[in-house]
Amino acid sequence: MRRTSLATALAIAPVMLLLSGGRAAAQDFATADQIADRQAIARIVQHPWRAACDGSGPGFHCFAKLRTDENGNVVKYAAGGQGLGPSDIQSAYKLPATGGAGKIVAVIDAFHYTNAESDLATYRTQYGLPPCTTASGCFKQVNASGGAASGTDQGCQGWGGEASLDLQMVSAACPDCHILLVELPSDQSSFDQAVNTAVTLGAVAISNSYGGPEDQTVLQEESAYTHAGVLITASSGDQGYGASYPATGGGVLAVGGTSLSTSSSSRGWAETAWNSGGSGCSSVIPKPSWQTDKSCAKRMESDVAA
């Protein structure tokens, strides 16, 4: 583990006589952490779920999942305080409770989310986060061209559920950030246009929780997903091996999923990557210079997981 190596190096530097004791202590500490994390991961319960968006048709589909009971009925439990809240996310990733003041984080979603602002207010009120409203300039909801948002609303069991999840997690990770929701009229629209609009409107980070199969046409969209100084992330999906765009984009940080659980380890959290997490080798996007693996001739995903 990296923690072990660092502890050993710190023991060596100040005094050589403590080399053996320092290394042994570091190894014992790492072993205790590993045991605690394994125990925490073993306690994770895998609940049944189903996809929020239908991924059978053409175009992009969202990757949000809905928890269900054994009969496939959606389980509604948000008001019960279950799941991971903002304080959990901030603790697990050592994020500051304040910061990023005024920085714009954009989320890109298809279809219209009529109750976006009011639902966002409910979430932020429940967890004691500062208000983020249109009136204050903190929240903005636009169409792919930057105009007034409107159109068909799919509700929570569709792209609306994905958009709701996106807005909540931006709030949890960066309560002081401004939020920009850019909507497309359908899941077969020009998502690259929406990403460019988000950049034009000042976003410094853009979340894309959707994907679809690659083909040669994605090369025409690469410029939209590559903007210097703007962090563009894309979900790698959760259907196992198989390249997904825009996660394979050359200017994109491809993000896989993990299971996260409290642990008695020094971090306080245990985390393990999903077995079904999206990954794969692009067939069309050239390998970036910073990737040195031998497994994929072209761009490989994922890059990180959280």
Side-chain angles (χ1 to χ4, degrees):
M1 291 181 65
R2 184 173 297 157
R3 185 184 296 112
T4 305
S5 300
L6 177 58
T8 303
L10 292 175
I12 292 173
V15 55
M16 292 296 292
L17 292 177
L18 295 180
L19 175 60
S20 298
R23 177 180 295 142
Q27 290 174 343
D28 290 342
F29 181 72
T31 301
D33 273 359
Q34 291 172 344
I35 293 173
D37 283 352
R38 288 172 188 149
Q39 293 173 339
I41 290 169
R43 293 193 298 268
I44 295 174
V45 177
Q46 299 298 327
H47 298 283
W49 53 266
R50 65 180 176 82
C53 298
D54 180 10
S56 60
F60 288 132
H61 62 276
C62 79
F63 290 135
K65 299 293 181 282
L66 303 172
R67 179 174 161 182
T68 68
D69 59 23
E70 296 297 335
N71 297 317
N73 300 310
V74 175
V75 176
K76 300 178 181 180
Y77 62 96
Q82 301 183 54
L84 300 177
S87 61
D88 298 313
I89 300 300
Q90 293 163 16
S91 171
Y93 298 108
K94 302 298 185 287
L95 301 175
T98 60
K103 298 293 186 180
I104 300 174
V105 178
V107 296
I108 312 297
D109 289 290
F111 299 98
H112 183 47
Y113 183 10
T114 305
N115 297 325
E117 185 170 2
S118 60
D119 288 350
L120 177 62
T122 298
Y123 177 83
R124 294 177 73 102
T125 298
Q126 177 173 320
Y127 288 103
L129 302 179
C132 186
T133 66
T134 300
S136 68
C138 175
F139 178 69
K140 191 171 186 178
Q141 185 175 9
V142 300
N143 63 25
S145 300
S150 64
T152 303
D153 192 326
Q154 288 194 329
C156 69
Q157 297 187 36
W159 277 85
E162 176 63 68
S164 179
L165 176 63
D166 295 343
L167 297 178
Q168 291 171 10
M169 291 302 98
V170 171
S171 298
C174 187
D176 288 347
C177 284
H178 286 189
I179 304 176
L180 172 65
L181 172 58
V182 186
E183 300 176 341
L184 293 116
S186 77
D187 55 4
Q188 300 181 49
S189 304
S190 299
F191 280 73
D192 54 335
Q193 179 188 7
V195 175
N196 281 330
T197 293
V199 175
T200 299
L201 294 177
V204 298
I206 303 174
S207 172
N208 303 280
S209 297
Y210 57 84
E214 284 186 331
D215 57 36
Q216 291 295 323
T217 63
V218 301
L219 292 172
Q220 303 170 16
E221 303 177 18
E222 275 293 86
S223 61
Y225 290 98
T226 306
H227 290 275
V230 179
L231 174 62
I232 300 179
T233 63
S235 171
S236 67
D238 42 28
Q239 296 179 345
Y241 185 81
S244 173
Y245 193 83
T248 54
V252 170
L253 181 70
V255 185
T258 65
S259 293
L260 184 67
S261 177
T262 55
S263 170
S264 59
S265 64
S266 58
R267 177 188 174 189
W269 295 87
E271 195 165 15
T272 181
W274 290 345
N275 290 333
S276 60
S279 63
C281 299
S282 173
S283 61
V284 295
I285 305 299
K287 198 172 197 67
S289 59
W290 46 268
Q291 280 194 344
T292 58
D293 68 281
K294 305 299 183 182
S295 302
C296 297
K298 295 185 182 296
R299 166 76 155 107
M300 179 182 67
E301 56 143 332
S302 292
D303 301 314
V304 298

